[in-house]
Amino acid sequence: MQTEEPALTRLRVIRWMQLLTPLMLAWFVWAAATTEPGFGPTGSRLAVVLATAGFVVGVFGRNATATLPIRPPHVAFVGAMLVSSVTLVAVQPGGPGSVAVLVAVLCAATGLMSVRVAVPVLITAFVLLEAVATIAGQDFGFLAVLAGFAVLFGSLYLAFRLAEAQRETKRLLAELQAGQAALAEAAVLAERQRLAREMHDVLAHSLSGLSLQLEGARMLIAEDPADPRLPVVVDRAHHLARAGLQEARRAIGLLRDDELPGPDRLAELAEQFTRDQAVPCDFAMTGEPHPLGSQARLALYRVAQEALTNVIKHASPTRVSLRLAYESTATRLIVEDFAAERPVIPDETDGYGLTGMRERAELLGGTLTAGATGQGFRVVLAVPA
């Protein structure tokens, strides 16, 4: 309701102005006819008749084209009002010509000029007309009528300005709502990407290891169902499945703001890798630990987890090194594997591992580099301190 009140007010003002226009024109014609020299077929009387008629036609023409874009007919009608009103002042100094000039200037200013130009023009015109009327000896009643016309048409001008301000407000409100909708959509997409990274990291780590252990168990069963190594492989597979389920629950816990894994669990992650893959994975930490944000802590853990998953998928290492360095400007994580044979280099198109790791780093304003070394493959994550 509050947003509709300015529009209703503007419509009421316009309706009143439309009703008053014939009455004001009737007064104008009456004043021009009864003031010397009045109406007549010749000389100055004929000039008064023509000027009065030109002004009336200009007013009706201007009102008919006021709602249309500025075009030559509209400009011509306003011009006719100006010319006829000035002519009436010249041939009938004591008549309503001054009022007509003020009305014409108001129409020209409100319809053909910018606000910065229109306001000074209106004020100047009113002051000059009042001065001319005073010098010409017009009585107080005429000056009051002149002031009344100025107030009346000024009110109309303010009503239209109010309508323009309302339209601008609605436009800005629509843009604001569109911007808020875009931000909400971006937030939803960011949340989807975050959850996709979490579930990928969890499932890739646990299911890759589980797949390898089950493949080993299948091969052992095919060779010798009584192989004493079979229970160990099955136990590893069971442990990986249970650990993967726990990690999935932790990832879902992100929606509930549960405690997230961080650097304090990297040593446990290295021990788990050694136990499940039967490959030594040593963990070392250097520097003085300093506080990190929840997302930075999570990124360090998930990148280490994903890097170890890539080691399982793409290499046959003899050992793996996991190092965490607290530096003055950054916290650096290094995951490196050492293999007797040349490892398979992970491809960006092979799943979303390296892509997800880089996205995590970029969201934190950090960097992630990955590449082959002379003895294996190294992943380095640096997040701002």
Side-chain angles (χ1 to χ4, degrees):
M1 291 297 294
Q2 293 180 352
T3 58
E4 295 178 358
E5 289 180 358
L8 293 176
T9 302
R10 176 178 65 86
L11 290 175
R12 292 192 188 101
V13 172
I14 292 175
R15 290 194 186 104
W16 275 106
M17 292 302 301
Q18 290 174 343
L19 292 174
L20 289 176
T21 297
L23 297 178
M24 289 186 293
L25 288 176
W27 171 87
F28 173 76
V29 173
W30 173 83
T34 57
T35 304
E36 289 295 330
F39 289 170
T42 59
S44 60
R45 291 174 177 271
L46 178 60
V48 172
V49 172
L50 294 177
T52 302
F55 183 79
V56 172
V57 172
V59 170
F60 281 114
R62 183 264 175 192
N63 290 346
T65 58
T67 57
L68 301 176
I70 300 300
R71 293 186 297 182
H74 181 70
V75 177
F77 284 122
V78 174
M81 293 172 61
L82 288 169
V83 172
S84 58
S85 60
V86 172
T87 301
L88 195 60
V89 170
V91 299
Q92 192 181 45
S98 298
V99 175
V101 171
L102 180 61
V103 172
V105 172
L106 284 168
C107 292
T110 56
L112 306 176
M113 301 178 186
S114 65
V115 177
R116 293 183 179 181
V117 177
V119 173
V121 167
L122 293 175
I123 295 174
T124 303
F126 178 72
V127 172
L128 288 177
L129 289 173
E130 287 283 0
V132 170
T134 303
I135 295 172
Q138 300 287 350
D139 57 18
F140 178 77
F142 180 83
L143 296 178
V145 171
L146 187 62
F149 269 90
V151 172
L152 191 60
F153 279 86
S155 300
L156 179 61
Y157 175 67
L158 291 177
F160 277 101
R161 289 300 302 160
L162 179 62
E164 292 177 3
Q166 183 186 15
R167 286 194 295 270
E168 182 66 13
T169 300
K170 288 182 177 180
R171 185 185 66 80
L172 294 175
L173 180 60
E175 290 182 358
L176 177 61
Q177 291 174 344
Q180 290 175 341
L183 288 176
E185 184 177 357
V188 170
L189 292 175
E191 182 67 8
R192 288 177 179 175
Q193 291 176 349
R194 182 175 70 88
L195 291 177
R197 284 194 301 270
E198 290 301 315
M199 296 309 298
H200 170 269
D201 291 347
V202 169
L203 295 177
H205 178 73
S206 57
L207 295 181
S208 295
L210 181 60
S211 176
L212 289 175
Q213 295 299 329
L214 291 176
E215 178 65 18
R218 186 188 67 81
M219 294 176 63
L220 290 176
I221 292 175
E223 294 176 359
D224 183 6
D227 194 315
R229 294 174 296 174
L230 185 59
V232 178
V233 175
V234 173
D235 183 65
R236 288 177 181 171
H238 177 263
H239 177 76
L240 282 172
R242 184 174 58 186
L245 181 60
Q246 292 175 348
E247 289 295 333
R249 287 173 177 169
R250 289 192 182 99
I252 295 173
L254 289 172
L255 298 177
R256 306 190 187 98
D257 292 329
D258 291 349
E259 183 179 357
L260 304 178
D264 51 325
R265 291 184 54 191
L266 291 179
E268 177 185 345
L269 186 64
E271 292 176 2
Q272 179 183 340
F273 182 89
T274 300
R275 181 173 59 253
D276 295 338
Q277 306 303 325
V279 175
C281 180
D282 60 90
F283 172 73
M285 184 181 70
T286 59
E288 185 67 25
H290 48 70
L292 294 170
S294 59
Q295 293 304 314
R297 291 171 52 83
L298 180 63
L300 289 169
Y301 181 83
R302 292 301 187 206
V303 168
Q305 191 178 49
E306 178 63 24
L308 292 177
T309 298
N310 285 342
V311 169
I312 298 172
K313 293 167 60 176
H314 301 288
S316 300
T318 56
R319 68 182 182 90
V320 178
S321 172
L322 184 61
R323 288 172 285 166
L324 179 66
Y326 288 98
E327 303 172 358
S328 59
T329 59
T331 301
R332 196 174 306 275
L333 171 71
I334 303 173
V335 183
E336 185 173 3
D337 63 82
F338 303 87
E341 300 178 359
R342 184 177 180 83
V344 177
I345 307 302
D347 189 355
E348 289 280 357
T349 61
D350 184 13
Y352 298 93
L354 289 177
T355 300
M357 288 190 280
R358 286 199 171 92
E359 286 178 354
R360 288 185 183 277
E362 291 171 359
L363 289 174
L364 294 170
T367 59
L368 184 136
T369 58
T373 64
Q375 298 174 312
F377 195 83
R378 178 188 298 133
V379 175
V380 181
L381 168 68
V383 296

